Amino acid sequence: MAAMYANLVKHLKAGGCWFVRTGKGSHEIWYSPVNGRTFTVPRSLASAPLANAILKQAGLSKAF
């Protein structure tokens, strides 16, 4: 579970995204300079389809 989150964060940072702030519960708010949007990342990330959906929101290509 933690490995999926760590890999996603690695891909987000490589794509130029950065952490903005903590959100409600175990969620974080990130910003993507690729498309100028903020998006939510759960720290309890456990599924590859959700990780790919987050990368899509960030304007990055699939990695999982």
Side-chain angles (χ1 to χ4, degrees), residues 5-39:
Y5 170 78
N7 286 335
L8 177 63
V9 167
K10 196 180 311 181
H11 286 291
L12 291 173
K13 287 183 178 179
C17 299
W18 63 80
F19 173 80
V20 176
R21 63 181 173 87
T22 57
K24 287 189 170 194
S26 65
H27 289 74
E28 298 177 342
I29 309 299
W30 284 69
Y31 176 78
S32 172
V34 175
N35 58 12
R37 294 177 55 188
T38 58
F39 53 94

Side-chain angles (χ1 to χ4, degrees), residues 39-52:
F39 53 94
T40 306
V41 177
R43 289 192 55 88
S44 60
L45 182 66
S47 72
L50 179 57
N52 283 327

